[in-house]
């Protein structure tokens, strides 16, 4: 091996000794179902703690989120609506706590890929503060850009350890302006104003109502940290103002869960006008956010689900898989090819945002396209600005064709779910194609009990 190669190898070994990370995917979560770790099913969800081995045991954050099957009528504090699904449990909403407080099959065990480490020696004694014989060894494999393995070890605590290991990757301040959720939230008719903020070292996100995501600051690296978002918007086609995020908030709706732990925060809600079962959930991680939408409604014109950027985003470059050379967000109209989106990105001194898109559906022949508009003085018709400010600045996102019935209470209903994965980047580092591959590449698990 050359001298240069030896230097690189030594540097890599030093980094491993210091950080323990073996998967090289610090932005990504590792999420397991409780059924994948049966040895934990007699352990209370709040008593699971995690360790990695880096020359000795090092405790790392882990979070168990309990889930339960409910009829969504329960979430509205009302009678059964005829559709049961598994959702995140939350005693602070009408969803309620999980009746089984232990790690059951549908609960989720979450930790960060950056917190795994090398395999512990077979003769290593159990760490202090855990129940003897409770250890579970989890081998985590990533096959993104080559195969990499890492190990994490789960135990039942004796009561003296915190699952967060003294860390908190996400701050979630859910602030309903009317007061306590169960006693003041208007379930039948909104709006229900909020001042809710999600904060990590990499971004700050803000909500002013259930569907009203109206600010986003990227903090990664030396980003200027200005608010680049006018709104995250939903319309039934460009310029079609009959339904929007504002009308969703003005109609019936409810929160399934608002919760935060050391690894992630969860915001899950339902209610979109005549789609009372339509659900969206945001899963906030330190450097990434997953937005999952479950459409459940009668036949509708195809929705356009898009971001409209703020004047502070001026000068940023917009790209997607159909337009890799990009255009500048400057309020001047551009010619941008439309089609099915796999990824998008915006980048500039303000920071970078890489967005991956995925859809799961059984609708045959579904039309999938996109729409882009950058115009500081938009006109009428398809350019009408239904909500937010009067400008269309880099408005962009997927737009699907007319949809059949997706209300699961109706015979023959189809299904449509989408996932939008956001990565928050340093200026100049947004890479939509790479992040889309990353978001699509899950982890593999091998679980065994420790002797």
């Amino acid at each position: 091996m050359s001298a240069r190669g030896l230097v690189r190898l030594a540097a890599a070994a030093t980094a491993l000794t210091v950080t323990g990370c073996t998967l090289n995917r610090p932005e990504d979560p590792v999420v397991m179902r409780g059924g994948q770790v049966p040895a934990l099913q007699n352990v209370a969800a709040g008593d699971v703690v995690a360790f990695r081995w880096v020359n000795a045991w090092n405790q790392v954050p882990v979070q168990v989120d309990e889930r339960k099957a409910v009829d969504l009528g329960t979430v509205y504090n009302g009678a059964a609506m005829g559709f049961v699904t598994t959702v995140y449990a939350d005693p602070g909403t009408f969803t309620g706590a999980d009746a089984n407080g232990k790690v059951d099959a549908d609960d989720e065990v979450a930790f960060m890929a950056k917190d795994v480490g090398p395999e512990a020696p077979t003769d290593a004694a159990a760490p202090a503060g855990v129940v003897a014989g409770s250890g579970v060894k989890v081998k985590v494999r990533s096959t993104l850009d080559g195969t990499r393995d890492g190990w994490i070890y789960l135990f039942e605590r004796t009561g003296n350890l915190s699952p967060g290991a003294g860390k908190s990757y996400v701050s979630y301040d859910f602030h309903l302006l009317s007061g306590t959720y169960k006693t003041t939230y208007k379930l039948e008719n909104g709006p229900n104003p909020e001042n809710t903020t999600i904060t990590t070292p990499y971004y700050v996100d803000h909500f002013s109502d259930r569907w009203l995501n109206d600010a986003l600051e990227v903090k990664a690296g030396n980003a200027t940290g200005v608010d680049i978002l006018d709104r995250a918007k939903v319309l039934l086609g460009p310029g079609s103002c009959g339904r929007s995020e504002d009308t969703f908030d003005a109609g019936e709706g409810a929160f399934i869960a608002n919760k935060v732990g050391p690894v992630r925060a969860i915001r899950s809600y339902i209610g979109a006008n005549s789609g009372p079962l339509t659900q969206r959930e945001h899963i906030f991680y330190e450097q990434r956010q997953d937005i999952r939408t479950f459409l459940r409604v009668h036949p509708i014109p195809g929705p356009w689900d898009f971001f409209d950027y703020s004047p502070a985003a001026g000068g940023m470059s917009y790209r997607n898989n159909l337009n890799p050379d990009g255009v500048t967000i400057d309020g001047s109209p551009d010619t941008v090819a439309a089609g099915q989106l796999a990824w998008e990105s915006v980048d500039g001194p303000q920071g970078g945002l890489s967005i991956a898109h995925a859809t799961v559906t059984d609708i045959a022949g579904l039309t999938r396209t996109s729409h882009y508009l950058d115009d500081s003085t938009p006109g009428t018709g398809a350019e009408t600005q239904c909500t937010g400010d009067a400008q269309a600045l880099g408005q962009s996102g997927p737009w699907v064709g007319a949809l059949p019935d997706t209300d699961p209470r109706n015979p023959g209903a189809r299904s449509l779910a989408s996932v939008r994965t956001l990565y928050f980047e340093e200026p100049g580092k947004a890479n939509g194609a790479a992040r889309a591959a990353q978001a699509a590449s899950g982890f593999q698990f091998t679980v065994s009990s420790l002797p």
Side-chain angles (χ1 to χ4, degrees):
M1 180 179 291
S2 68
R4 183 176 297 177
L6 286 170
V7 169
R8 286 198 300 264
L9 182 61
T14 300
L16 180 60
T17 300
V18 173
T19 69
C21 182
T22 60
L23 297 181
N24 196 30
R25 295 175 61 174
E27 308 86 3
D28 291 333
V30 181
V31 182
M32 307 176 66
R33 287 290 173 89
Q36 294 174 293
V37 279
L40 295 180
Q41 292 188 9
N42 289 319
V43 178
D47 286 341
V48 177
V49 292
F51 288 81
R52 68 179 176 190
W53 179 269
V54 185
N55 303 319
W57 289 116
N58 295 263
Q59 192 186 355
V60 296
V62 65
Q63 180 172 333
V64 178
D65 291 305
E66 295 187 273
R67 292 166 60 82
K68 60 186 294 189
V70 298
D71 183 294
L72 289 184
T74 302
V75 178
Y76 281 106
N77 195 31
M81 298 179 72
F83 175 64
V84 175
T85 189
T86 300
V87 299
Y88 292 103
D90 185 355
T93 69
F94 297 110
T95 307
D98 191 351
N100 180 2
K102 297 180 180 180
V103 182
D104 56 32
D106 56 11
D107 293 344
E108 291 182 349
V109 181
F111 51 91
M112 297 306 297
K114 69 177 183 176
D115 286 331
V116 306
E119 187 174 12
T122 56
D123 59 352
V130 304
V131 174
S134 66
V136 178
K137 175 181 178 180
V138 181
K139 178 181 177 180
V140 183
R141 170 164 290 183
S142 169
T143 57
L144 178 69
D145 297 329
T147 299
R148 294 184 177 88
D149 294 330
W151 284 261
I152 198 164
Y153 297 81
L154 306 175
F155 298 87
E156 180 181 3
R157 66 176 179 172
T158 59
N160 298 322
L161 298 175
S162 166
K167 298 179 181 179
S168 179
Y169 291 142
V170 181
S171 169
Y172 180 56
D173 179 20
F174 174 65
H175 182 56
L176 184 63
L177 297 187
S178 61
T180 304
Y181 174 76
K182 285 186 177 180
T183 56
T184 69
Y185 200 83
K186 295 182 288 183
L187 299 166
E188 295 183 359
N189 292 286
N192 288 279
E194 300 175 42
N195 183 18
T196 294
T197 305
I198 302 89
T199 306
T200 87
Y202 295 86
Y203 66 95
V204 177
D205 208 352
H206 184 270
F207 290 80
S208 291
D209 208 322
R210 194 172 68 252
W211 288 85
L212 184 47
N213 184 189
D214 58 0
L216 181 62
E217 303 168 10
V218 180
K219 300 291 188 179
N222 63 346
T224 60
V226 296
D227 173 16
I228 64 172
L229 185 66
D230 174 23
R231 286 190 178 194
K233 298 183 176 182
V234 183
L235 298 175
L236 295 183
S240 179
C241 299
R243 290 290 181 262
S244 69
E245 70 279 3
D246 280 355
T247 70
F248 293 172
D249 287 333
E252 66 179 326
F255 276 99
I256 294 172
N258 276 299
K259 57 194 304 182
V260 63
V263 174
R264 62 184 186 173
I266 296 170
R267 176 185 177 91
S268 180
Y269 49 91
I270 55 174
N273 291 122
S274 54
L277 303 181
T278 292
Q279 177 184 351
R280 174 166 284 182
E281 54 191 23
H282 302 255
I283 314 296
F284 303 98
Y285 299 97
E286 185 179 39
Q287 301 181 57
R288 163 178 159 170
Q289 180 187 161
D290 298 347
I291 305 174
R292 304 191 285 237
T293 306
F294 306 90
L295 193 68
R296 304 180 184 120
V297 67
H298 56 75
I300 58 172
W304 179 31
D305 187 3
F306 63 105
F307 284 179
D308 185 8
Y309 295 95
S310 75
M316 299 184 81
S317 296
Y318 170 84
R319 294 179 173 85
N320 64 33
N321 53 291
L322 303 169
N323 302 270
D325 292 335
V327 294
T328 300
I329 298 175
D330 57 6
S332 299
D334 302 286
T335 299
V336 175
Q340 184 174 344
L341 294 177
W343 59 266
E344 303 174 273
S345 69
V346 293
D347 203 344
Q350 302 92 327
L353 186 63
S354 299
I355 308 171
H357 294 283
T359 303
V360 178
T361 185
D362 62 0
I363 301 173
L366 177 65
T367 301
R368 307 183 201 192
T369 187
S370 60
H371 188 70
Y372 182 86
L373 179 62
D374 189 33
D375 193 338
S376 60
T377 57
T380 58
E383 294 186 1
T384 301
Q385 298 302 291
C386 302
T387 63
D389 64 27
Q391 300 183 75
L393 297 177
Q395 289 185 349
S396 49
W399 180 21
V400 300
L403 295 173
D405 192 345
T406 55
D407 188 329
R409 297 172 295 182
N410 299 331
R414 315 312 294 177
S415 65
L416 177 66
S418 68
V419 181
R420 179 183 300 221
T421 305
L422 281 59
Y423 288 91
F424 302 93
E425 319 272 24
E426 297 181 22
K429 296 294 181 67
N431 188 332
R435 294 304 195 187
Q438 187 172 337
S441 181
F443 295 97
Q444 302 167 14
F445 310 109
T446 304
V447 180
S448 58
S449 296
L450 288 178

